Structures are given as C-alpha cells and as structure tokens.
Amino acid sequence: MATTAQTGSPQPDSTHPNGTHEVPPRAPAPAPPSKTLQPGQISRLGIAAVVVTVVLWASAFVGIRAVGPSFSPGSLTLGRLAIAAVVLGLVVLPRLLKTRNLPRGREWWPILAYGVMWFGGYNVALNAAEHLLDAGTAALLINVNPILVAIMAGVILKEGFPRWLIIGSLVAFGGVAVIALGSGQRSTADVAGVLLCLLAAALAAVSVIVQKPVLRKFPAAEATWFGIMVGAICCLPFSGQLISELQAAPLPATLGLVYLGVFPTAIAFTTWAYALSLIDAGRLAATTYLVPGTTILISWLVLGEIPTIWGLVGGGICLVGVGLTRRRSR
C-alpha cells in the first residue's frame, strides 16, 4: 500500500541562484483507506458484511420471482443496474471528485472483466435460466460457484486448499442438493436452462477471483460502482425493451425492480466486496451455500410458502457445512 512519506525535505521559500522561486514537489495522491485491522475487528466486520450479503441475495430470488412476469431477463438486468448505479453513485461520486482516485491504464482491465461477466452476463444468464428451471434445480446449479471459487482461489490467488474448506464445501453442497431434491416441479429442468445456470455460476466464480486484487487498490463501494457502470453499459441494448415493459408493468412489479436495484445489487454487492477485501475468496464463497436455505425462509415469511422438510434439513446441513469451512487446520 502506498505511503505518504516524503522523499527529501525541500526548504520553504527556497530559490535558485537566478532568483526564481522553486516550486515544492507535488504531494502524492492519497491512498485508499487502510484495511489493516485487528483480527477481532476483521472477524466482526467481515461476518456482518457476509450476513447482509446472504440475506439480501437470498431476497433477490424472491424478488425476481415476483417481477419475472413483467420483465424479460435483459431489461430486468438493465433496470437493476441502472437503479444501483444511481443509488451507489450518490455515495461514491462525491468521494471520487475529492480524491480523484480513478483507475488508470491496465487497472481498468479486471474492472471491465468482472463488470461484463458478473454484473452483466451473470444476471442476464440467471434471469433467463429461472424462466426454464424450477427454483431447487437452479439453486443447486448456481451453488457450483463456491466450489469453482475455492479451486481457482487455491491455484490463482495461492490461498491453498485447506482441508476444512474442502470438507465444509462438500457438506454444504450436499445440503443444497437436499434442498433441490425436495423442490417441487423437478420435471421442468430444461437443457438450455441448465447450461445457462452453469454459465452464470462460472461467470460469478471467475469474477470473484478477478475482483479480489482490485480491492487492494480501491474501496469496496468504488470497486462495486465501477463494475455496475460497466455492466449497465453492456446492457444498454435492452433499453427499448425496458422502457416498454416499464410502461406496461403494474406498480408492485416496478417497486420490486427498485428493490432489486437498491438492496440485492447496490448494497449487497458492496458488502460482498467489503467482505472479500477482508476474507479469503474460497472461505467467503462457501458462505453463499446459505443463500438457498435463506431464500426458503424469506419465501415462507413474505410469500407464505411453507418450507418442506427437505428444505429445513438441507438448510441445516448447509449451516453445518459453512461452519466447518471456518475451522482452521492444525
């Protein structure tokens, strides 16, 4: 991390022999706020960010199901990203105008990558897949993502392959499988939907690995906003579709779109990025196994959908698995 230590000690009002005034060297640009925290602080802040992310991302499944009949996959993605860009921009832009801490040169490449893959491609693919698959199958396929992240983090980010991370991931994945087996409408699984879900999981996994180094240079909110803007620009071809669907959509569907843009997108992706800046990518990704079980609980409370015994058992297994990933190998 850059420091602000000066190189040299220029004298005030120093002049050259010819009488001209010597301009002091320009102070270096301020570095992003330091993330050097005590272990206990990292644990508390990281866990709080993870909880917010899991709950809000789980609520997104309920929200997408509610507004799905009114918005197509592309326009739904553009609407979410446009709203998130405005909301998060109100927080980020004043600080950017003050610090001018913008990406330069090659620093844009990873931002462009996860902006296109995660905020754009992942959301469009997932929205399209949920038109073809039942919720249980979609949850099972998307939760291939943490395993892919753990493998890539071990190889690319050199996080290694901790024994308890692997054991806990397999246990949690088994819990998601139990939830999927207990889901209704299992016969609706479509080959195209399966491929779209696997594509979404792969795009998300690669994006996590790409985003991790960016968070060493930029705060979580700024790194998230940059990606949202890139994703929104990629989805601009859906603008006409979004406008026409907004005109025809009932008010509850429009409010649902606003909710998806503010909470699961602007807030949850920022808390995810903040947690990723504090926690190993593999261990953090394993916590997303909690999303399907949390979705069942939210659906129960909001939509009145009573969870099956399979859902309750599977959610409990996911909790055990995620708990195992937090153990340290001796």
Side-chain angles (χ1 to χ4, degrees), residues 242-269:
L242 175 61
I243 292 173
S244 62
E245 290 177 354
L246 277 172
Q247 292 173 342
L251 180 60
T254 302
L255 293 177
L257 179 62
V258 173
Y259 172 84
L260 289 171
V262 175
F263 293 94
T265 309
I267 295 177
F269 274 97

Side-chain angles (χ1 to χ4, degrees), residues 175 178-179 181-183 296 306-317:
V178 170
I179 294 174
L181 290 173
S183 175
I296 290 176
I306 300 175
T308 64
I309 187 63
W310 291 101
L312 294 175
V313 171
I317 294 174

Side-chain angles (χ1 to χ4, degrees), residues 91 129 149 168 203 256 263 280:
V91 177
V149 172
L203 290 174
F263 293 94
D280 286 348

Side-chain angles (χ1 to χ4, degrees), residues 127-169:
N127 292 341
E130 289 196 356
H131 282 81
L132 303 171
L133 297 175
D134 62 88
T137 303
L140 173 62
L141 293 171
I142 287 296
N143 274 277
V144 172
N145 167 42
I147 293 178
L148 297 177
V149 172
I151 294 172
M152 288 189 290
V155 175
I156 299 173
L157 300 180
K158 309 300 183 184
E159 292 181 3
F161 299 94
R163 179 180 61 183
W164 286 110
L165 173 60
I166 302 303
I167 294 173
S169 295

Side-chain angles (χ1 to χ4, degrees), residues 14-22:
S14 58
T15 57
H16 290 291
N18 61 7
T20 59
H21 184 75
E22 182 180 354

Side-chain angles (χ1 to χ4, degrees), residues 23-43:
V23 180
R26 184 176 180 179
S34 174
K35 298 184 179 69
T36 304
L37 301 171
Q38 298 299 321
Q41 291 177 301
I42 291 176
S43 177

Side-chain angles (χ1 to χ4, degrees), residues 74-136:
S75 62
L76 174 57
T77 300
L78 176 59
R80 285 182 63 174
L81 294 178
I83 293 167
V86 172
V87 172
L88 196 54
L90 294 176
V91 177
V92 168
L93 281 175
R95 185 166 56 192
L96 283 178
L97 292 174
K98 182 178 180 180
T99 64
R100 300 187 182 276
N101 185 33
L102 291 170
R104 295 179 177 84
R106 294 182 178 180
E107 292 177 343
W108 274 110
W109 288 113
I111 295 172
L112 291 172
Y114 69 75
V116 171
M117 290 189 296
W118 203 356
F119 291 98
Y122 166 84
N123 280 297
V124 173
L126 178 58
N127 292 341
E130 289 196 356
H131 282 81
L132 303 171
L133 297 175
D134 62 88

Side-chain angles (χ1 to χ4, degrees), residues 51-64:
V51 169
V52 171
T53 302
V54 167
V55 172
L56 292 184
W57 278 357
S59 73
F61 285 91
V62 179
I64 291 171

